[in-house]
């Protein structure tokens, strides 16, 4: 039957000839080669080839993609590529500085941003101007003789002061450290963007401090200011110490002292300008009562005679 012939085993001529020529050759089945180790080896080889192909494609795409110029929006977009959890983590790190805990290494992680520093400076300037006006409003309620008018110029002064400090001081610090690195090669160096980011987040602690300065108790205001200054300045010192410790002791001490002094001048200057003490009250002296005798009154009221 045709069906029976199709199901019968047939010998291949090439295999028969090979076995005839080499009768001592060992034959193995296909299943002997496909062991689990063979499968793993083949899979690893294929995975390595795929990774090489993907890396080649990635490198080609990176070569084709040109770096945007600094005048374009795409160049600055990467500086604001940060989510809320990262910003909150960096704010928390600035509020809780610890010795040996580097803010750049533990929180920035080679990904500095401008989103947090920009909005922290904007919020601080706004809160500083508003609380400075509220201080005078509260003082006027206690003493109606005090004349108050809205001082809108304080918003401009606060904005210019905060943004200039948050940009110019890091620029000067970065330039000095870059110069010192050329003198002493062992010194490390932060990028300019990392330095701006550190200074921007260090100013966050002053936002609640400005609100607490509305309490009309001078010694309590100075206490809150000292605590905020200590937290903010210590965060800067702990972050800059791994960089400046490779320099001479004199340069390191002078640099860190200058950083703390500039921070203190900012806090004290804001305290005296925006929360300046009220001028002393100018009270008119009471009118003096002069008692006159009756003769003096009659002499002043009698008509005068002129002698010709």
């Amino acid at each position: 039957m045709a069906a029976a012939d199709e199901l019968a085993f047939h010998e291949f001529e090439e295999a028969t000839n090979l076995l005839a020529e080499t009768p001592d050759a060992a034959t193995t089945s296909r299943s002997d080669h496909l062991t689990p180790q063979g499968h793993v080896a083949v899979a690893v080889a294929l995975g390595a080839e795929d990774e090489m192909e993907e890396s080649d494609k990635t490198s080609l795409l990176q070569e084709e993609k040109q770096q945007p110029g600094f005048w374009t929006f795409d160049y600055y977009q990467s500086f604001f590529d940060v989510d809320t959890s990262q910003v909150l983590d960096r704010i928390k790190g600035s509020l809780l500085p610890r010795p040996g805990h580097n803010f750049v290494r533990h929180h920035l992680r080679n990904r500095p941003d401008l989103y947090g520093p920009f909005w922290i400076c904007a919020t601080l300037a706004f809160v500083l101007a508003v609380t400075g006006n509220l201080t005078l409003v509260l003082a006027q309620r206690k003493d109606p003789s005090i004349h108050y008018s809205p001082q809108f110029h304080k918003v401009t002064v606060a904005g210019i002061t905060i943004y200039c400090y948050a940009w110019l001081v890091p620029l000067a610090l970065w330039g000095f450290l870059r110069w010192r690195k050329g003198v002493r090669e062992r010194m490390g160096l932060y990028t300019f963007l990392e330095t701006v980011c550190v200074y921007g987040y260090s100013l966050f602690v002053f936002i609640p401090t400005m609100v607490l300065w509305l309490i009309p108790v001078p010694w309590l205001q100075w206490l809150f200011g000292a605590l905020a200054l200590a937290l903010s300045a210590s965060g800067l010192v702990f972050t800059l110490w791994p960089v400046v410790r490779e320099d001479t002791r004199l340069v390191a001490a002078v640099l860190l002292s200058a950083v703390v002094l500039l921070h203190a001048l900012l806090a004290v200057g804001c305290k005296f300008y925006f929360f300046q003490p009220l001028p002393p009250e100018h009270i008119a002296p009471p009118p003096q009562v002069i008692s006159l005798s009756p003769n003096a009154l009659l002499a002043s009221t009698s008509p005068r005679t002129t002698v010709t």
Side-chain angles (χ1 to χ4, degrees):
M1 296 177 65
D5 294 338
E6 292 177 358
L7 296 175
F9 292 98
H10 298 279
E11 295 183 358
F12 296 96
E13 294 181 0
E14 296 179 358
T16 305
N17 295 333
L18 290 173
L19 290 174
E21 293 176 359
T22 57
D24 297 333
T27 59
T28 58
S29 63
R30 182 179 176 86
S31 61
D32 295 336
H33 293 284
L34 298 178
T35 58
Q37 296 179 354
H39 284 293
V40 173
V42 172
V44 171
L46 293 175
E49 292 178 358
D50 294 339
E51 291 179 357
M52 291 179 63
E53 291 178 359
E54 291 178 359
S55 61
D56 294 339
K57 292 179 181 179
T58 304
S59 60
L60 290 174
L61 291 175
Q62 291 178 352
E63 291 178 359
E64 293 177 358
K65 185 178 179 181
Q66 297 180 356
Q67 184 70 19
F70 68 92
W71 60 86
T72 60
F73 179 77
D74 295 335
Y75 178 81
Y76 299 96
Q77 186 177 4
S78 61
F79 299 151
F80 293 84
D81 187 13
V82 65
D83 54 14
T84 306
S85 60
Q86 291 177 337
V87 174
L88 293 177
D89 179 70
R90 294 172 182 184
I91 291 175
K92 181 180 177 181
S94 66
L95 293 175
L96 301 173
R98 301 191 302 272
H101 189 80
N102 193 333
F103 183 83
V104 174
R105 186 173 67 251
H106 291 87
H107 296 281
L108 297 186
R109 299 172 184 174
N110 297 325
R111 290 193 60 187
D113 69 285
L114 292 179
Y115 180 85
F118 175 81
W119 287 111
I120 288 174
C121 292
T123 306
L124 180 59
F126 179 76
V127 171
L128 188 58
V130 171
T131 51
N133 280 271
L134 287 177
T135 302
L136 298 179
V137 172
L138 297 176
Q140 186 184 24
R141 288 188 175 182
K142 290 184 177 180
D143 188 0
S145 63
I146 297 176
H147 176 70
Y148 166 75
S149 60
Q151 299 177 352
F152 296 105
H153 67 280
K154 287 188 175 181
V155 180
T156 305
V157 174
I160 294 175
T161 303
I162 298 301
Y163 276 103
C164 287
Y165 180 82
W167 281 92
L168 296 181
V169 174
L171 178 61
L173 178 62
W174 175 77
F176 179 80
L177 292 177
R178 189 175 181 85
W179 171 68
R180 292 301 299 176
K181 182 176 176 60
V183 177
R184 300 179 67 88
E185 297 180 354
R186 295 180 57 186
M187 282 187 58
L189 182 66
Y190 295 140
T191 63
F192 173 66
L193 191 59
E194 289 175 342
T195 309
V196 172
C197 194
V198 170
Y199 263 84
Y201 280 102
S202 69
L203 296 176
F204 179 83
V205 68
F206 290 106
I207 296 177
T209 304
M210 302 299 175
V211 179
L212 293 175
W213 277 353
L214 289 174
I215 302 174
V217 181
W219 68 269
L220 197 58
Q221 293 177 352
W222 285 109
L223 178 61
F224 290 144
L227 291 176
L229 178 62
L231 289 175
S232 184
S234 61
L236 292 176
V237 171
F238 294 154
T239 303
L240 294 174
W241 173 246
V243 176
V244 301
R245 66 182 177 184
E246 299 297 336
D247 208 333
T248 60
R249 292 183 178 180
L250 178 61
V251 174
V254 171
L255 180 61
L256 295 180
S257 299
V259 169
V260 176
L261 180 61
L262 290 175
H263 227 54
L265 288 177
L266 177 67
V268 175
C270 292
K271 176 68 173 64
F272 279 110
Y273 182 80
F274 295 94
F275 300 87
Q276 56 186 346
L278 297 174
E281 300 178 4
H282 296 283
I283 302 176
Q288 296 180 357
V289 179
I290 302 174
S291 60
L292 297 176
S293 62
N295 295 330
L297 291 175
L298 291 175
S300 61
T301 56
S302 62
R304 297 181 181 178
T305 60
T306 57
V307 179
T308 58

